[in-house]
Amino acid sequence: ELELDCRIGATFGKAYCGIVGANNRHEYAVLGSPVNLAARLMASKQNPGILVDEAVMLRAARHPFESLEAIQAKGYDKPVKIFKPRESVRKSWKSLSSNFVGRNIEMGHIANAAKKILKHKAHAEMVFLTGPYGAGKSLLLAHAVNRVERACGMSLKT
């Protein structure tokens, strides 16, 4: 097994995503209260793997969540309600077709992120996978995970 400690903090809200700084010295950043809270949830001692805020829990109401003791997060006057999923929400793909066509660029980005982590060149990597409903994001990710698992000869825990 990979023996990776993976913790996720998920929040919902408005944030700025773009370039910050002057022309001669700038960076790409994601800023805002939801981003800060997600980082605090991710790093929380109470995080068993995935923690979400109330906004995410309400939007994902079809999935069962367990309420945990509210945490006092930096920058918040009142304790923040937090929740953890009660069960895995990973979609089960009965069988993945071996003739997955296209998406080579996207598949390459995901594979490169996995390679950096597996070769210990990075502690973490992030890939943003966005697109309209029904565009095949979940299927792409399922194929990418399957490809990484086959290449490494292991099963990735999710």
Side-chain angles (χ1 to χ4, degrees), residues 19 23 28 53 57 67 71 79 87 96 99 105 124 126 153-154:
I19 296 174
N23 285 339
Y28 190 82
D53 69 352
M57 186 272 300
S67 178
I71 62 168
E87 59 190 45
L96 293 174
N99 61 351
I105 293 172
M126 185 178 300
M154 63 181 71

Side-chain angles (χ1 to χ4, degrees), residues 106-117:
E106 294 89 344
M107 192 71 80
H109 288 306
I110 296 168
N112 286 335
K115 284 178 191 173
K116 286 179 185 176
I117 293 170

